[in-house]
Amino acid sequence: MRILITGASGFIGRNLINDNLLSNYNINVLTIGRQNLDFSSPNIQHIQCNLLELQKIMKHLILFDPHIIIHLAWQGIPELNEYNSKMNFNISRDFINSFTNFKSLKKIISLGSCLEYKYKDRECCESDDLDHEHPFSNAKINIMNLFIKKALQLNIHYYWFRVFYVYGLYQREKAIIPYLIKSLANKKIPEIMTPNQSKDYISVRDITKIISSSIFDDFDSGIYNLGNSKSYSPVDISKIIEKQMYN
């Protein structure tokens, strides 16, 4: 089995590759990322490339001819502004259009976001109204539509995973949970703009397990929310961290 992964140098991509979940199977993996990565597993090869320069590596990708594509790439995080959203839409559009070049392609997997939903302060289900007003949300929704359209055109399986608030290894230092851990470890009071605003947090390990499961299990194609079904505020998280540190 041949698997192509974009965004391999990102938060979720690095966890997926380094989780050893993929090395347990008789597969070959080709990763694309903007940073140079050195993997110990002999079945993983890496191309250092910005997907803005997709045509430079297209011949290589066609020769690799993946069975499965996992599209994780998104540039410019944490800035979700209009410029970055348009750039990422264009990158994903061109990449999705390239899928017709892969003769062995059977399944495509990509990550959406809980921010696609119009009403962000309540429990969400996959059929809820979507937010076309915010540039990031709208870009993700438009990419999803292209993604599903291409899967139907090629008659292949697809999974669009709307992830909620992911935390774990390789996360940005300024993200809320790493920031709280660092502040409390240094005995500093965290400065939080919205200390009581609750969000649904999910471990990156749970995300990578679901992605790995979707590689090998053919459940129904569709859109799936990936969350913990529980909400925590920064105050709640601080209490959990303090309990782990000092008890």
Side-chain angles (χ1 to χ4, degrees), residues 46-69:
H46 180 68
I47 299 176
Q48 184 178 359
C49 178
N50 189 322
L51 279 180
L52 283 167
E53 303 172 328
L54 177 63
Q55 290 305 314
K56 290 185 177 181
I57 59 169
M58 202 61 226
K59 288 183 179 179
H60 193 118
L61 301 186
I62 292 172
L63 286 173
F64 183 72
D65 192 23
H67 296 100
I68 296 174
I69 292 175

Side-chain angles (χ1 to χ4, degrees), residues 93-112:
R93 178 200 59 205
D94 293 344
F95 184 56
I96 291 168
N97 285 337
S98 76
F99 291 176
T100 52
N101 293 297
F102 307 131
K103 306 303 181 184
S104 300
L105 189 59
K106 304 297 182 187
K107 184 183 296 183
I108 53 178
I109 302 163
S110 192
L111 298 185

Side-chain angles (χ1 to χ4, degrees), residues 1-208:
M1 181 186 295
R2 296 182 299 277
I3 303 175
L4 171 62
I5 303 174
T6 71
S9 56
F11 171 31
I12 295 176
R14 289 177 68 186
N15 277 281
L16 180 64
I17 297 299
N18 293 330
D19 225 359
N20 293 322
L21 294 171
L22 298 179
S23 62
N24 294 330
Y25 299 87
N26 184 25
I27 60 175
N28 292 303
V29 179
L30 176 64
T31 63
I32 303 172
R34 288 184 296 161
Q35 299 177 19
N36 187 26
L37 301 176
D38 184 19
F39 298 113
S40 58
S41 178
N43 68 323
I44 300 177
Q45 56 177 308
H46 180 68
I47 299 176
Q48 184 178 359
C49 178
N50 189 322
L51 279 180
L52 283 167
E53 303 172 328
L54 177 63
Q55 290 305 314
K56 290 185 177 181
I57 59 169
M58 202 61 226
K59 288 183 179 179
H60 193 118
L61 301 186
I62 292 172
L63 286 173
F64 183 72
D65 192 23
H67 296 100
I68 296 174
I69 292 175
I70 304 174
H71 182 37
L72 307 177
W74 191 274
Q75 299 186 23
I77 292 174
E79 297 299 330
L80 307 181
N81 55 43
E82 185 173 1
Y83 175 83
N84 282 343
S85 298
K86 285 183 176 180
M87 176 184 66
N88 280 284
F89 170 78
N90 291 335
I91 289 172
S92 290
R93 178 200 59 205
D94 293 344
F95 184 56
I96 291 168
N97 285 337
S98 76
F99 291 176
T100 52
N101 293 297
F102 307 131
K103 306 303 181 184
S104 300
L105 189 59
K106 304 297 182 187
K107 184 183 296 183
I108 53 178
I109 302 163
S110 192
L111 298 185
S113 168
C114 63
L115 296 179
E116 293 173 45
Y117 291 114
K118 184 174 183 178
Y119 303 107
K120 299 173 176 60
D121 56 351
R122 67 186 192 192
E123 186 174 342
C124 300
C125 69
E126 289 81 354
S127 60
D128 282 355
D129 292 341
L130 300 179
D131 179 6
H132 291 276
E133 297 299 322
H134 192 280
F136 173 77
S137 305
N138 193 52
K140 279 289 188 182
I141 294 164
N142 289 334
I143 292 168
M144 176 196 68
N145 289 333
L146 292 175
F147 184 80
I148 295 173
K149 182 179 180 180
K150 182 61 67 175
L152 296 175
Q153 176 189 335
L154 299 175
N155 194 28
I156 59 177
H157 278 83
Y158 72 89
Y159 304 120
W160 181 265
F161 293 128
R162 286 190 180 130
V163 297
F164 282 67
Y165 294 88
V166 187
Y167 68 91
L169 186 64
Y170 305 129
Q171 189 173 18
R172 295 180 300 107
E173 287 187 3
K174 292 183 179 180
I176 184 65
I177 291 180
Y179 170 71
L180 289 174
I181 292 172
K182 184 176 180 180
S183 296
L184 295 171
N186 292 328
K187 301 186 184 303
K188 295 182 178 179
I189 299 175
E191 297 180 7
I192 307 294
M193 295 286 291
T194 54
N196 296 307
Q197 184 180 61
S198 295
K199 295 179 179 178
D200 186 337
Y201 293 91
I202 180 170
S203 166
V204 71
R205 281 296 306 274
D206 290 333
I207 297 293
T208 59

